[in-house]
Amino acid sequence: GKTLAIGSVSGRVVLWDVRTRRARERIEGLPKGLTSIRFAPDGATLAMGYGDGMVRVRHFETGETTTVKEHRWEIRSISISADSRTMVTAGRDGRIQVWEYPECRIRHTHKAETLTTYLADISPNGAWMATVRRDIPSATIWDARTGEKLTDLAFPINQQSSCLRFSPDSRTLALGVDTGPLMLYDTQTWQELTRYYPRGPHVNTIAFSLTVEVLLTSDDYGTITAWDARPGPHRGTLKGHPWGVTSLT
């Protein structure tokens, strides 16, 4: 919970010290087109997805980057299990890939009903998987161990989700809608806890602090907003990117 990674479509990835709000490291030599980013819980690696279907994993101890490609089109989301041994990627090609991590070997592939399933996240406790399709205004919750469908979460407006994320304690699921509210759900009951209304036109991505006290969102204006992860007002705003911020971790 001491470092925030921020990436943009320009290819710039910056690691920030959360306490001092100063940049700790700029990762150089990365291509443009970054669409998703995620720290492994053990802090040893940073996984990055790109518009061309590539997945790149940065190993901090060696400074090396592993590059693999199993998606034909854009990587829309990356999720890593709490033990840092499993990675899930979802792409616009309708595939959800489950990887041995950080070796980046395919364990198995889930092919969606249509090419519209492109967002997925696994709860840190390994109990649930949440997926989103672009053609229906709802999210689907699955039993991650059995593959059984548990419930659908309908959105309050006829728009699709732009991002989703489970909290580190697996008690909350956050869903952002294209031009609508940010919604938080209780994973024990799957009832809505609260809604936030970001100032920007589009919530691109969501990240929780490890303490589950703070929720971060980014938008197309290049703005990052900090909210209370439990019902309350937004904590503050960070500006610094000239274009839209597409990833937070």
Side-chain angles (χ1 to χ4, degrees):
K2 298 179 180 179
T3 305
L4 171 69
I6 301 178
S8 70
V9 293
S10 66
R12 184 169 67 169
V13 176
V14 182
L15 305 183
W16 296 81
D17 188 303
V18 174
R19 295 178 179 174
T20 66
R21 299 187 181 182
R22 296 180 181 274
R24 294 178 50 188
E25 179 183 353
R26 289 174 171 82
I27 302 178
E28 306 292 344
L30 297 175
K32 295 182 179 180
L34 180 69
T35 58
S36 188
I37 191 169
R38 182 69 69 94
F39 271 115
D42 62 9
T45 55
L46 181 70
M48 298 165 282
Y50 288 82
D52 60 0
M54 288 285 187
V55 176
R56 291 175 170 84
V57 177
R58 179 79 170 187
H59 302 263
F60 292 117
E61 184 175 346
T62 64
E64 297 179 351
T65 300
T66 300
T67 302
V68 291
K69 183 173 183 179
E70 291 292 339
H71 288 276
R72 289 176 292 171
W73 303 325
E74 177 185 353
I75 303 295
R76 290 298 298 142
S77 65
I78 295 175
S79 181
I80 301 175
S81 62
D83 62 3
S84 301
R85 299 301 301 166
T86 303
M87 176 174 69
V88 176
T89 57
R92 284 195 183 275
D93 57 4
R95 296 182 180 184
I96 299 174
Q97 305 279 13
V98 182
W99 307 74
E100 300 287 347
Y101 191 83
E103 299 83 4
C104 293
R105 294 191 298 265
I106 288 290
R107 183 183 298 167
H108 48 81
T109 300
H110 296 281
K111 293 184 179 180
E113 298 174 1
T114 68
L115 298 184
T116 56
T117 297
Y118 79 113
L119 288 177
D121 195 27
I122 290 184
S123 61
N125 63 6
W128 309 292
M129 176 184 286
T131 62
V132 171
R133 289 172 49 171
R134 289 296 290 175
D135 59 343
I136 54 175
S138 65
T140 301
I141 307 301
W142 309 83
D143 186 309
R145 300 182 180 92
T146 67
E148 178 185 0
K149 179 179 175 178
L150 298 178
T151 189
D152 288 316
L153 305 177
F155 300 154
I157 56 177
N158 190 28
Q159 293 190 18
Q160 292 74 42
S161 177
S162 56
C163 50
L164 75 167
R165 185 68 63 90
F166 281 101
S167 63
D169 62 4
S170 300
R171 295 176 56 189
T172 306
L173 173 65
L175 289 166
V177 179
D178 278 349
T179 59
L182 172 69
M183 298 168 291
L184 273 60
Y185 291 88
D186 185 325
T187 58
Q188 300 303 309
T189 63
W190 300 113
Q191 296 298 307
E192 187 176 329
L193 292 170
T194 191
R195 295 181 192 177
Y196 293 129
Y197 291 87
R199 298 175 181 176
H202 185 271
V203 178
N204 287 328
T205 190
I206 302 168
F208 283 91
S209 67
L210 288 178
T211 60
V212 200
E213 295 178 354
V214 180
L215 177 66
L216 298 174
T217 60
S218 68
D219 62 34
D220 281 345
Y221 288 157
T223 300
I224 298 165
T225 303
W227 311 82
D228 280 321
R230 307 300 180 219
H234 84 274
R235 293 192 172 198
T237 301
L238 299 174
K239 293 285 291 185
H241 285 275
W243 300 316
V245 178
T246 57
S247 292
L248 293 170
T249 189

